[in-house]
Amino acid sequence: MTRPVTTMRCVVVREHGGFDKLLLTERPIPTPGPGQVRVRVRAIGLNHLDTWVRRGVPGHAFPLPLIPSSDAAGVIDALGSDVHGHKEGDAVVVLPGVSCGACEACHSGIDQLCRSYHILGESCDGTAAEYVCVPAANVAPLPAGLSFEQGASICLVFQTAWNMLVRRAELRAGETALVHAGLSGVGSAAVQIANVLGAQVIATAGGPAKCERVRALGAHHVIDHTQQDVAAAVRALTGKAGVHVVFEHTGAATFDASLKCLARGGRLVTCGATTGGDVRLSLHAVFFKNLSILGSTMGSNGDLRGVLRLFEQGRLRPVLDRALPLAQVAEAHRLLEARQALGKLVLTP
Ligand code: ZN
């Protein structure tokens, strides 16, 4: 039986809950509006954000029903009116952050602080579909040499990690950074970016297989947090001095150790809080040690375009665990939540 060509397959979350809330369904293929391009999606990248959209977040209302997912790569197959600089057939990656483009924040290159900033798959329909329409400003050429699967695994995590290390923590060459969960999506981005910046990288990972992979990404030291006390290991590695920057994205499970690992004058930069967001913080430690605690969400699309150039140059590389068919979206969520993936998970429609 052939499917009518006016509909597309997609994932929809109608209500929050378990893996069974990821509904595979059909919807009309969207038509690009003015200033938009339509992308025929070839690969969809999964992030922890996808699992929050599925499960729900206390105190936050997602606009359900919603097509989840923020990352994608594919081919432009239709243009709305007033689109310049793109053509049908262009291979692109989708930039997940959408902003107004006209306000003070947007004009200052910090579009993630725009009052109307939103993330695809979080506050509007996302990329877990055969087609997605996005503003023309939200696509960039797929870096040469990368597959669609690899391209779909880059944007959200590298944009996030770049903003954290470069813009917020201002990590410099010769400094030492501690990166938690160095094989997670954002962790594997941070290990590579810190390395490109010329920093010494200490990363953590759970188990020998993950540790080996993190070392291959460019970490100078890898601590197996299932075997070693992270704070003690960092003290030993730094001659008791501590690190200049802690890249914190796991939250409650690691925050205490993160504070202990900071050198005097150290900066802790945090996003995600994937193990919980409520932590204890001694203000005495903050002021006696001259610490900075920095929050960060997403990053600018200008920075992301620069990051994509580093992929083009082969100085950063995607960390892909596996690609699964779109129909196995629930299995992909399970792998992500069980932390069983050795890198990013991608779905192919
Ligand atoms: Zn704006």
Side-chain angles (χ1 to χ4, degrees):
M1 195 182 90
T2 54
R3 283 191 292 124
V5 292
T6 54
T7 63
M8 64 172 187
R9 288 193 314 145
C10 59
V11 178
V12 171
V13 175
R14 292 192 196 286
E15 55 181 336
H16 297 302
F19 304 129
D20 61 332
K21 302 304 181 192
L22 298 159
L23 305 175
L24 273 168
T25 184
E26 299 221 347
R27 275 201 184 174
I29 295 174
T31 304
Q36 287 190 329
V37 299
R38 185 172 68 201
V39 177
R40 184 178 173 108
V41 175
R42 299 286 303 275
I44 301 148
L46 235 68
N47 293 288
H48 278 284
L49 178 56
D50 294 58
T51 69
W52 301 343
V53 168
R54 192 204 78 231
R55 288 186 309 212
V57 173
H60 182 85
F62 293 98
L64 304 184
L66 186 68
I67 299 178
S69 297
S70 312
D71 278 324
V75 176
I76 292 179
D77 89 318
L79 304 175
S81 58
D82 293 323
V83 172
H84 310 281
H86 300 286
K87 61 181 191 306
E88 290 176 24
D90 286 351
V92 294
V93 293
V94 172
L95 314 188
V98 181
S99 66
C100 81
C103 71
E104 181 178 340
C106 286
H107 281 176
S108 302
I110 40 177
D111 32 285
Q112 71 273 26
L113 302 187
C114 171
R115 294 280 302 270
S116 66
Y117 187 79
H118 57 282
I119 305 170
L120 298 173
E122 182 203 43
S123 45
C124 64
D125 278 336
T127 58
E130 288 180 295
Y131 295 88
V132 61
C133 290
V134 295
N138 281 82
V139 291
L142 177 70
L146 296 195
S147 66
F148 289 113
E149 288 84 357
Q150 291 174 319
S153 68
I154 295 173
C155 286
L156 189 142
V157 289
F158 275 89
Q159 179 171 36
T160 298
W162 184 272
N163 195 67
M164 290 171 75
L165 289 176
V166 176
R167 299 293 179 186
R168 300 294 279 142
E170 300 181 20
L171 179 65
R172 294 186 293 276
E175 290 190 320
T176 301
L178 169 68
V179 178
H180 289 291
L183 201 58
S184 63
V186 78
S188 62
V191 166
Q192 294 187 72
I193 290 167
N195 203 300
V196 164
L197 293 172
Q200 282 287 307
V201 185
I202 302 172
T204 73
K210 286 187 177 178
C211 286
E212 196 44 50
R213 296 284 296 269
V214 175
R215 204 166 282 118
L217 289 177
H220 301 89
H221 303 280
V222 183
I223 300 166
D224 184 344
H225 63 72
T226 64
Q227 302 293 323
Q228 288 175 277
D229 178 76
V230 172
V234 166
R235 265 199 305 278
L237 285 167
T238 57
K240 295 186 181 170
V243 299
H244 301 95
V245 169
V246 173
F247 184 92
E248 171 61 75
H249 56 104
T250 34
T254 50
F255 194 78
D256 260 359
S258 293
L259 286 178
K260 286 181 191 154
C261 289
L262 280 172
R264 287 167 186 250
R267 294 93 80 196
L268 182 152
V269 62
T270 180
C271 79
T274 51
T275 63
D278 292 324
V279 296
R280 276 196 70 241
L281 175 65
S282 160
L283 292 177
H284 295 103
V286 173
F287 67 76
F288 275 129
K289 285 177 75 180
N290 284 272
L291 304 181
S292 301
I293 311 289
L294 306 163
S296 186
T297 292
M298 299 295 282
S300 81
N301 280 350
D303 280 352
L304 177 52
R305 288 174 187 276
V307 167
L308 291 170
R309 196 166 55 239
L310 291 169
F311 280 90
E312 189 104 18
Q313 295 168 359
R315 301 176 70 189
L316 295 174
R317 57 183 202 272
V319 183
L320 186 61
D321 174 284
R322 76 194 84 168
L324 296 168
L326 185 62
Q328 291 185 35
V329 60
E331 170 65 4
H333 274 233
R334 192 192 65 75
L335 288 166
L336 187 61
E337 288 188 10
R339 302 180 191 279
Q340 284 180 354
L342 301 178
K344 295 282 287 179
L345 294 162
V346 163
L347 300 168
T348 51

